[in-house]
Amino acid sequence: MTRPTEDPEELDRADPEGEIARAAEAYRNWGRWGADDRLGTLNLIDPAKRLEAAALVREGVTVSLAQSFDMNGPQKGWRRRTNPVHTMLDTGTDAERGSQGFPHGIGGADDVVAMPLQCSTQWDGLGHIFDHGRAWNGRAAGDVVTSDGDLVTGIEHASSAIVSRGVLLDVARWLDPERGELPDGYAISTGELEACMAAQGASSHVGQGDIVLVRTGRLARARREGWGDYAGGDSPGLSFTTAGWLHRTGIAAIATDTWGFEVRPNEFDLAFQPLHQVAIPNIGLTIGEMWDLEELARRCQELARYDFLLSAPPLPITGAVGSPINPVAVL
Amino acid sequence: MTRPTEDPEELDRADPEGEIARAAEAYRNWGRWGADDRLGTLNLIDPAKRLEAAALVREGVTVSLAQSFDMNGPQKGWRRRTNPVHTMLDTGTDAERGSQGFPHGIGGADDVVAMPLQCSTQWDGLGHIFDHGRAWNGRAAGDVVTSDGDLVTGIEHASSAIVSRGVLLDVARWLDPERGELPDGYAISTGELEACMAAQGASSHVGQGDIVLVRTGRLARARREGWGDYAGGDSPGLSFTTAGWLHRTGIAAIATDTWGFEVRPNEFDLAFQPLHQVAIPNIGLTIGEMWDLEELARRCQELARYDFLLSAPPLPITGAVGSPINPVAVL
Amino acid sequence: MTRPTEDPEELDRADPEGEIARAAEAYRNWGRWGADDRLGTLNLIDPAKRLEAAALVREGVTVSLAQSFDMNGPQKGWRRRTNPVHTMLDTGTDAERGSQGFPHGIGGADDVVAMPLQCSTQWDGLGHIFDHGRAWNGRAAGDVVTSDGDLVTGIEHASSAIVSRGVLLDVARWLDPERGELPDGYAISTGELEACMAAQGASSHVGQGDIVLVRTGRLARARREGWGDYAGGDSPGLSFTTAGWLHRTGIAAIATDTWGFEVRPNEFDLAFQPLHQVAIPNIGLTIGEMWDLEELARRCQELARYDFLLSAPPLPITGAVGSPINPVAVL
Amino acid sequence: MTRPTEDPEELDRADPEGEIARAAEAYRNWGRWGADDRLGTLNLIDPAKRLEAAALVREGVTVSLAQSFDMNGPQKGWRRRTNPVHTMLDTGTDAERGSQGFPHGIGGADDVVAMPLQCSTQWDGLGHIFDHGRAWNGRAAGDVVTSDGDLVTGIEHASSAIVSRGVLLDVARWLDPERGELPDGYAISTGELEACMAAQGASSHVGQGDIVLVRTGRLARARREGWGDYAGGDSPGLSFTTAGWLHRTGIAAIATDTWGFEVRPNEFDLAFQPLHQVAIPNIGLTIGEMWDLEELARRCQELARYDFLLSAPPLPITGAVGSPINPVAVL
């Protein structure tokens, strides 16, 4: 089999199946962390990396990278993905009226949420995507994720894993210094990722165990213009051809400010999220989507520094294939 | 009005109303951070504190402090609090069977959760408890929390706030070195908190902006014996008389390994969570419940060190009065 | 106070408050069925009426009047109203794969739904609408519906009530024989209801205890053109001025094929569902919305008969202010 | 293959697999209503039957056969089945306080429910149970019920079907006239069903297209003693050996006042709901569970009449394998 191309121009747009197969084989990490592995590239975060990350806390400033979780989100029902529905079990109005039945003037409010785990800022867990019926590490998809959830690689296994050095690659600002936004369909290439790193300076070096955050400006546009098809529609994003870079850098995870991480429309005549198919079940890469990188980008630009401590532990929902999160950068 | 007592023996068990009023008045922080404040004591975490916290990362080890989120949790339906119901929108079994309708062999799994925000490891937000119809900062409860949620102090406002120095006070281990578990109804007093700090050594000093984690061993017991009445039943916990300590130490937040933070049965003949009534709406204190401090306690004992970087950002569910969380200690 | 007008042309469009007050006072049924009443006009269905209804079953044919309950519904999130989210707890794919853990070859599928009670074909219960803080029978709204639900007139009280004679008034077909659809904003007047009854013939006589179904053709249009703003947007519907007719006919309930029962835009410069405000809390009328009257209309036209046995019991969700239903006409 | 036994004593308790296979083969209705059938025995309700049913309405009295839907139900979390969680989107307390933002004094309350479709009074649809990977009519289970729901025999197809003659067999009252309750583990045999019919008199004749309601008194006991293990525990119910009777009578559907319709413990050493495995995928029988037959039983005894019009349409939740219902008997 020939090596997969890293040049978007060379992709055979008519052959997603073949391109995916080539990349999957070339970059597959199956077995790398043992047959029982549940973490994939999150294994690459080690204590030394966390010490390095902690040493990056110099201002003592935190930035939340989460979008809000509410009915004003981008979801429109595709594959039963709704926005979060938050309802109250008890309210202050009731407490104030004195009808809650509690003694000595205490009153309370409680609440409930019903939400898809992929509705807003999230991690895609290792059970989220399959390649020809195979899940991460080569397992049969049906052995991993049934209607009881992910029995093997549920997101709860990563509950203490995701604290590392984060690196922001503000590709949109680098390519479009004025506006800081990439157009829909813009496929970010490996060359551009590396050039952006170089342009941003030494603090942007990406190495093993790092978590890379790629800003495309897509969320900034949605905030300005309305959601439109933010969820599932066209978007800038990573080119399919960055799979090799995702693999050889040894990054632990990657996240973007877009719905789908990779460029949309995808770079094939007929395809659906082909980079996911390589990255999750084959590389074992945890992918973050719908992150809010706006304030972080401003801070990084201001400080002329692009790395920080990133704490983004998933909610350990047993058997979940993803998790809503509130990632925090500490600068 | 006389000063509130800090001696559990002196509490007038027949007069919760009076004792609460005395403590509320003595420790009330209303207006301290301005009329528009939405954060309460979380304001006490400043950049210097975060730098101090980051400097505590010496081993590069992370410990998740979350219980799992699933149907095997402790909830039994009190006030419509159920355990989390996690269901799948798509599964590996379906993907494997090839019936998902996606091209080039990609398959996917998606999921949904429905859960009370107070069902497992959580923060109680400032809108969670009222004192005689008043919410944090003196606002009318009905102006703050309606059926639309917490319109003023929703947990989303704390989305980037809760990263600080954490201090574990393993009161259970200190009082019961053998077993490390306190009995139900055991009210931890201010004196015991301070003696535990002293016994644990310098790393346990608690000061302004810190987040204090008090281990009672209640969760360890539930793990061994079954949940029983873990959710809402009897438990060790903080004495009502610690309100003064919670106030004057200037801690930013506090959490325990119990359902209800304070001792149960409560220390009055007829009462319901009286310390909440002082701590949340009056002191403006964010309270964590149902944290899993077991592994952290083992690590701290091993390292003979009880402080660490604690990252525990809430999920920014707009208008929520609480949040499920996965707090992470970085040692 | 002057009598309310029954002529849409005479309504003071600038004074919804005054027009509502006049109608509310004129048609108020408070106390009519005692201080403890929980049923309102459903009290008007008596055994004789049910015998009359049963005698209308002549063909032995049933017609469901429910829209489907799924993600393809009209809801777009207004006031957190989503379409129903139906998920599986167990599937045939899993059963077939043999991984469910049951003996002797049995397999099973189970499911869950999360839905607003007003999301599709439904009854509005008596606790659904208030008039100046008053619920049905003059009760204080806050005494009736708290965050614990409707403590007084919950829909469960009507669980055995709603079986009666149904009468279809196919106003759309009568006014527009060709197409059978009324335009948005078309306010059906009392005169038109009566003329339609006359035109349809003797089987359309409406009397005490009947349940009237008014077809506007709005659903037919939505089916043809897409939902658009079916939920909450413009629509034909009953004129505000029909309140007197709703009251004096003694009908037990009324339903339409529209989202909101009454005409939209409402007949005032600035208003929101003014007829609801008279009909529910004042008349005590149970209102059905989003019914599918298409097949029924065809059958009635075919049979030249417009009355039938109507069975439309609500799901007895304790404390609910509405209920999803599958009303069935038996002809 | 030998004929299946109809004598409970003759069942080979050690061979559920064999007994099930024998009964399945003997009573299988696959193909009887065509290859595309979605209704099974519901096909046996014809217009003449509905006319017969309507003629049974003589008192004009309705009786709801639904248990309530709320958190006080019997579910304890088995297979993620919870009780219904009903929450409010808007309340009367809020409306009364004037903070809803509506004009002219109108206020409103809205609500939401999250519930398993099998949580309370319900129909089991044809996709609910499989026999060795086969669903109703011989289809592969995985072709029928995926995580998208029941794609073939979803309960919505039965939306207008379930109105027929109902017959109550109050087996508990007949066997225990004093108390009217059968003990747990009591397996009702074919002989007892027929003897009960005979004892109750002519109105209890069961024939083609009828819906049979079997009262065991299990719910009455649960009401008196508390739920205990009502959901999933021991119970009286139909013997496995009644499968032949279910088949040859040509009944359209059957329901009981128990959680599981058939006797529990099941009549084999190791088994799980073996009669389901014959009745649903093989006979194509729709089964009702957790019906409340208490008031109906009183009425029938009083009237010395056991048949009535039964209206029990499912909620047409697209793709559902069951439906919460409020069945109504009209006498």
Coordinates of all heavy atoms in Angstrom, one line a residue, chain A residues 56-82:
Chain A
L56 N 3.7 26.2 33.5 CA 3.2 27.2 32.6 C 2.3 28.2 33.2 O 1.9 29.2 32.6 CB 2.6 26.6 31.4 CG 3.5 25.7 30.5 CD1 2.7 25.0 29.5 CD2 4.6 26.6 29.8
V57 N 1.9 27.9 34.4 CA 0.9 28.8 35.1 C 1.8 30.0 35.7 O 2.5 29.8 36.7 CB 0.2 28.1 36.3 CG1 -0.8 29.0 37.0 CG2 -0.6 26.9 35.7
R58 N 1.7 31.1 35.0 CA 2.5 32.3 35.4 C 1.7 33.5 35.8 O 2.1 34.3 36.5 CB 3.4 32.6 34.2 CG 4.5 31.6 34.0 CD 5.4 31.9 32.9 NE 5.8 30.7 32.2 CZ 6.0 30.6 30.9 NH1 5.8 31.7 30.1 NH2 6.3 29.5 30.3
E59 N 0.5 33.6 35.2 CA -0.4 34.7 35.5 C -1.4 34.3 36.6 O -2.0 35.2 37.2 CB -1.1 35.2 34.3 CG -0.3 36.2 33.5 CD 0.7 35.5 32.6 OE1 0.5 34.3 32.3 OE2 1.8 36.1 32.3
G60 N -1.7 33.1 36.7 CA -2.7 32.7 37.7 C -4.1 32.9 37.2 O -5.0 33.1 37.9
V61 N -4.2 33.0 35.9 CA -5.5 33.3 35.2 C -6.1 32.1 34.6 O -5.4 31.3 34.0 CB -5.3 34.4 34.1 CG1 -6.5 34.5 33.2 CG2 -4.9 35.8 34.8
T62 N -7.4 31.9 34.8 CA -8.1 30.8 34.2 C -9.1 31.3 33.1 O -9.7 32.3 33.2 CB -9.0 30.0 35.2 OG1 -9.8 31.0 35.9 CG2 -8.1 29.4 36.3
V63 N -9.2 30.5 32.1 CA -10.1 30.8 31.0 C -10.9 29.5 30.7 O -10.4 28.5 30.4 CB -9.4 31.2 29.7 CG1 -10.4 31.5 28.6 CG2 -8.5 32.4 30.0
S64 N -12.3 29.6 30.9 CA -13.1 28.5 30.6 C -13.3 28.4 29.0 O -13.4 29.4 28.3 CB -14.5 28.8 31.1 OG -15.5 27.9 30.5
L65 N -13.2 27.2 28.5 CA -13.2 27.0 27.1 C -14.6 26.4 26.7 O -14.7 25.8 25.6 CB -12.1 26.1 26.6 CG -10.7 26.6 27.1 CD1 -9.6 25.6 26.6 CD2 -10.4 28.0 26.6
A66 N -15.6 26.5 27.6 CA -16.9 25.9 27.3 C -17.9 26.9 26.7 O -17.9 28.0 27.1 CB -17.5 25.2 28.5
Q67 N -18.6 26.4 25.7 CA -19.8 27.1 25.3 C -20.8 26.9 26.5 O -20.7 26.0 27.3 CB -20.4 26.6 24.0 CG -19.5 26.8 22.8 CD -20.2 26.4 21.5 OE1 -21.4 26.5 21.4 NE2 -19.4 26.0 20.5
S68 N -21.9 27.7 26.4 CA -22.9 27.5 27.4 C -23.8 26.3 27.0 O -23.8 25.9 25.9 CB -23.8 28.7 27.6 OG -24.3 29.1 26.4
F69 N -24.4 25.7 28.0 CA -25.3 24.5 27.8 C -26.7 25.0 28.0 O -27.2 25.1 29.2 CB -24.9 23.4 28.8 CG -23.6 22.7 28.4 CD1 -22.4 23.3 28.6 CD2 -23.7 21.4 27.9 CE1 -21.2 22.7 28.3 CE2 -22.5 20.8 27.5 CZ -21.3 21.4 27.7
D70 N -27.4 25.3 26.9 CA -28.8 25.7 27.1 C -29.6 25.6 25.7 O -29.0 25.2 24.7 CB -28.9 27.1 27.6 CG -28.1 28.1 26.8 OD1 -28.2 28.0 25.6 OD2 -27.4 29.0 27.4
M71 N -30.8 26.0 25.8 CA -31.6 25.8 24.6 C -31.2 26.8 23.5 O -31.8 26.7 22.3 CB -33.1 26.1 24.9 CG -33.7 25.0 25.7 SD -33.9 23.4 24.8 CE -35.2 23.9 23.7
N72 N -30.4 27.7 23.7 CA -29.9 28.6 22.7 C -28.7 28.1 21.9 O -28.0 28.8 21.2 CB -29.6 30.0 23.3 CG -30.8 30.6 23.9 OD1 -31.9 30.6 23.4 ND2 -30.6 31.2 25.1
G73 N -28.5 26.8 22.1 CA -27.3 26.2 21.4 C -27.6 25.9 19.9 O -28.7 26.2 19.4
P74 N -26.7 25.3 19.2 CA -26.7 25.1 17.8 C -27.5 23.9 17.3 O -27.8 23.8 16.1 CB -25.3 25.0 17.4 CG -24.6 24.4 18.6 CD -25.3 24.9 19.8
Q75 N -27.9 23.0 18.2 CA -28.5 21.8 17.7 C -29.9 22.0 17.1 O -30.7 22.8 17.6 CB -28.6 20.8 18.9 CG -27.2 20.5 19.5 CD -26.2 19.8 18.6 OE1 -26.6 19.2 17.6 NE2 -25.0 19.9 19.0
K76 N -30.1 21.2 16.0 CA -31.4 21.3 15.4 C -32.1 20.0 15.2 O -33.0 19.9 14.5 CB -31.2 22.0 14.0 CG -30.7 23.5 14.2 CD -30.9 24.3 12.9 CE -29.9 23.8 11.8 NZ -29.9 24.7 10.7
G77 N -31.6 19.0 15.9 CA -32.3 17.7 15.9 C -31.7 16.6 15.1 O -32.2 15.5 15.1
W78 N -30.6 16.9 14.4 CA -30.0 15.9 13.6 C -29.6 14.7 14.4 O -29.0 14.8 15.5 CB -28.7 16.5 12.9 CG -28.0 15.5 12.0 CD1 -28.3 15.2 10.8 CD2 -26.8 14.9 12.4 NE1 -27.3 14.3 10.3 CE2 -26.4 14.1 11.2 CE3 -25.9 14.9 13.5 CZ2 -25.2 13.3 11.2 CZ3 -24.8 14.1 13.5 CH2 -24.5 13.3 12.4
R79 N -30.0 13.5 14.0 CA -29.7 12.3 14.8 C -30.2 12.4 16.2 O -29.5 11.9 17.1 CB -28.3 11.9 14.7 CG -27.9 11.5 13.3 CD -26.5 10.9 13.2 NE -26.4 9.5 13.5 CZ -26.8 8.5 12.7 NH1 -27.3 8.8 11.5 NH2 -26.6 7.3 13.1
R80 N -31.3 13.0 16.4 CA -31.9 13.3 17.8 C -31.0 14.1 18.7 O -31.1 14.0 19.9 CB -32.2 11.9 18.4 CG -33.5 11.3 17.8 CD -33.7 9.9 18.4 NE -32.8 8.9 17.8 CZ -32.6 7.7 18.2 NH1 -33.2 7.2 19.3 NH2 -31.7 6.9 17.6
R81 N -30.1 14.8 18.1 CA -29.3 15.7 19.0 C -30.1 17.0 19.2 O -30.3 17.8 18.3 CB -28.0 16.0 18.4 CG -27.0 14.9 18.4 CD -25.6 15.3 18.0 NE -24.7 14.2 17.9 CZ -23.5 14.3 17.2 NH1 -23.1 15.5 16.7 NH2 -22.7 13.3 17.1
T82 N -30.5 17.2 20.4 CA -31.2 18.5 20.8 C -30.2 19.3 21.6 O -29.2 18.9 22.0 CB -32.4 18.2 21.7 OG1 -31.9 17.6 22.9 CG2 -33.4 17.2 21.0

